[in-house]
Amino acid sequence: MFQRRSRGQKYTFWLRDGFRDGESEERIKSYHRPHRRSSMQKSEYTCDHRPRVYKVFENVAQKYDIMNDAMSLGIHRVWKDALLHVMHPQPGAQLLDVAGGTGDIAFRFLEYIRLQEERQKRRAARSSQTPSWQDISNNYSTEDESRESRAVVCDINKEMLKVGKQKADSLGVSAGLSWVVGDAEELPFDDDQFDIYTIAFGIRNVTHIDQALQEALRVLKPGGRFMCLEFSKVNNPILSSIYDAYSFQMIPVIGEVIAGDWKSYQYLVESIRKFPNQEEFKGMIEDAGFYCVKYYNLTGGVVALHSGFKL
Amino acid sequence: MFKNVLSRLVTQTVRPHRYAPPGPVIQRLIPASGPLRSFTDRKDEAQPQFDASLLDVLVCPLSKKPLRYDAETNELINEELGIAYPILDGIPNMIPQEARLIQKDSTEMPTQ
């Protein structure tokens, strides 16, 4: 089916009309095997596509990290590092990483905090010129601060969390790291629990984004920060056409070659196009009740980092 | 920044020594090969046991009430609603649809 598709006229359907065009709808429906429920219908994103999303990530869980590197040419690491940099967590912070899957953000968070603590200790050592032996031994033995800062990774998909947990075990990181299977629209956490809530490249997979945002507001402490990394709209037309060509031509192919799953990555690319742009999403976050909402465009708008506070 | 990316690409999977400092601390605590009921042990890594410190933050997603950890069946129980959330590989599964009903005469949990 994909081999038969020629480049000329049909290609432009993808770029111009998305899915509203009748002919392309039929083609979308024909991609799906008969027994699989198609969720890309016209009244589409209002229907619950959770089973579809679950299957997608279940299929790709083992190869998820490799695929991220291949698809984004390693740039996803830069985006995630930027998220941590903007977050600038201090020792003692409690993080909830939703749709955290394989734990990329959580690992970076713990590492950042560890470096912060070392920096603070060095600063303290420098300022106290002649520390007593008691001070020095206190510095070595207390691990209190690193026990206080904790990262909870929540994801709807067990497979992704299992991969993440294996990664943690192989890296030897487990202090202050917890894994929970949960739904972003119905978080299994009490109110006012976390300092930082992050959702990196996960919110577009949520069926009811406003519910997820309200849950985020609920579990954050007052003064807590909501941070969201997500693919967004590229404004520059040249970059936009390169990006579109790359997304629709290369990404499903890479998905097929590496993960053996064309359709999941096609779903990925389609879900990115469906997601609201920077301003719209900012509006949604403000509607949920967050203050001081702003966004940073990364890589020319390919990815946007949205941030808001619960006050 | 890209130097960072490259170095991470190279070293990402190959550094167990990097996190050596927590090692001695963990060994000081109760060894992981203890009985199943050792859920006072906060930092074990060897076996997939449930981390009881999670109980501080976890609540039932439906009623938002605290849960009770049952070591025998390895589940988190909400007595009020009569449901039990399973724990697999030390990871609690807090999806309401996957919870087990304890009492037979309870009504079905609403799906979402």
Side-chain angles (χ1 to χ4, degrees):
Chain A
M1 212 161 284
F2 303 108
Q3 287 80 20
R4 270 192 273 133
R5 186 159 60 120
S6 64
R7 280 198 69 170
Q9 195 188 10
K10 292 184 182 167
Y11 171 74
T12 54
F13 281 136
W14 288 112
L15 292 188
R16 294 220 192 105
D17 305 313
F19 313 100
R20 315 252 188 266
D21 179 272
E23 271 197 47
S24 59
E25 296 253 8
E26 284 311 307
R27 231 204 343 265
I28 295 165
K29 284 190 188 158
S30 66
Y31 290 155
H32 302 287
R33 288 198 292 266
H35 68 269
R36 243 200 221 182
R37 184 156 56 100
S38 164
S39 53
M40 294 299 167
Q41 293 137 29
K42 226 162 202 165
S43 56
E44 37 30 11
Y45 261 55
T46 50
C47 80
D48 182 15
H49 53 280
R50 209 181 311 170
R52 173 71 199 247
V53 170
Y54 193 93
K55 262 260 162 284
V56 164
F57 285 94
E58 193 180 29
N59 292 339
V60 309
Q62 291 296 328
K63 300 272 176 61
Y64 186 72
D65 292 322
I66 304 174
M67 272 306 297
N68 279 345
D69 278 328
M71 287 191 294
S72 66
L73 309 170
I75 306 177
H76 75 105
R77 295 162 191 257
V78 175
W79 294 330
K80 289 167 182 166
D81 289 338
L83 172 66
L84 258 298
H85 192 76
V86 172
M87 191 197 294
H88 194 49
Q90 297 302 308
Q94 311 281 308
L95 171 81
L96 173 63
D97 185 19
V98 177
T102 49
D104 277 345
I105 304 292
F107 292 136
R108 284 173 166 78
F109 172 81
L110 292 171
E111 179 63 17
Y112 196 100
I113 295 225
R114 195 180 65 89
L115 290 172
Q116 283 284 93
E117 283 171 0
E118 279 181 10
R119 215 173 291 154
Q120 281 179 5
K121 281 195 190 135
R122 254 181 279 143
R123 219 177 291 149
R126 243 182 284 143
S127 62
S128 58
Q129 294 291 326
T130 50
S132 68
W133 282 111
Q134 203 166 32
D135 288 335
I136 295 176
S137 68
N138 284 343
N139 279 338
Y140 283 137
S141 61
T142 46
E143 295 279 328
D144 280 340
E145 283 179 74
S146 60
R147 215 192 297 154
E148 276 175 23
S149 35
R150 143 208 282 197
V152 180
V153 182
C154 179
D155 197 293
I156 203 169
N157 194 305
K158 289 188 233 54
E159 304 303 317
M160 295 286 283
L161 288 174
K162 273 200 210 144
V163 172
K165 196 152 194 269
Q166 281 166 18
K167 241 174 41 175
D169 292 337
S170 66
L171 285 173
V173 186
S174 65
L177 185 56
S178 310
W179 309 85
V180 179
V181 177
D183 187 352
E185 294 175 24
E186 209 163 29
L187 289 171
F189 302 107
D190 215 350
D191 303 357
D192 306 331
Q193 288 285 322
F194 297 98
D195 295 300
I196 306 159
Y197 174 110
T198 54
I199 182 164
F201 305 112
I203 205 157
R204 68 176 188 278
N205 296 311
V206 172
T207 314
H208 302 106
I209 296 178
D210 49 347
Q211 273 187 32
L213 291 172
Q214 277 171 26
E215 280 291 279
L217 190 72
R218 183 181 68 82
V219 301
L220 276 173
K221 287 183 194 162
R225 191 171 195 180
F226 166 86
M227 307 192 73
C228 173
L229 260 184
E230 193 50 79
F231 291 105
S232 204
K233 187 158 165 30
V234 180
N235 284 315
N236 180 319
I238 306 168
L239 192 57
S240 173
S241 53
I242 300 173
Y243 178 50
D244 283 343
Y246 180 77
S247 302
F248 288 105
Q249 304 280 299
M250 290 296 299
I251 288 183
V253 175
I254 300 174
E256 181 58 44
V257 167
I258 296 183
D261 195 344
W262 176 290
K263 296 204 174 103
S264 298
Y265 288 93
Q266 187 151 45
Y267 165 78
L268 166 78
V269 176
E270 290 164 5
S271 67
I272 291 173
R273 291 299 177 288
K274 277 286 183 181
F275 192 72
N277 68 17
Q278 286 89 329
E279 282 297 328
E280 279 175 45
F281 189 48
K282 176 180 170 201
M284 289 170 79
I285 300 175
E286 283 172 342
D287 288 340
F290 289 97
Y291 290 93
C292 310
V293 183
K294 56 197 301 211
Y295 61 86
Y296 306 85
N297 275 334
L298 304 173
T299 320
V302 172
V303 167
L305 166 56
H306 282 79
S307 151
F309 288 90
K310 170 177 179 175
L311 297 173
Chain B
M1 219 189 237
F2 279 89
K3 220 189 254 185
N4 228 355
V5 171
L6 279 173
S7 63
R8 267 183 204 260
L9 271 168
V10 172
T11 62
Q12 188 87 1
T13 50
V14 224
R15 289 279 207 107
H17 311 297
R18 211 170 169 201
Y19 292 96
V25 179
I26 295 162
Q27 275 155 30
R28 251 191 269 150
L29 302 174
I30 306 163
S33 56
L36 196 62
R37 287 184 176 266
S38 60
F39 53 80
T40 49
D41 183 312
R42 283 161 145 255
K43 295 186 187 174
D44 65 66
E45 332 167 68
Q47 279 170 23
Q49 288 186 22
F50 177 64
D51 183 7
S53 62
L54 253 186
L55 274 174
D56 299 335
V57 275
L58 274 183
V59 295
C60 173
L62 296 168
S63 66
K64 311 297 184 208
K65 295 278 166 60
L67 299 158
R68 180 173 65 87
Y69 174 58
D70 186 349
E72 288 124 19
T73 53
N74 207 27
E75 285 175 337
L76 291 163
I77 301 185
N78 179 344
E79 266 113 14
E80 204 177 18
L81 293 172
I83 46 178
Y85 295 95
I87 301 177
L88 301 147
D89 290 335
I91 304 175
N93 187 334
M94 310 302 295
I95 310 279
Q97 288 94 312
E98 315 229 342
R100 185 179 66 89
L101 293 168
I102 297 177
Q103 290 122 23
K104 302 289 179 188
D105 50 356
S106 289
T107 52
E108 266 286 304
M109 288 300 117
T111 51
Q112 203 136 353

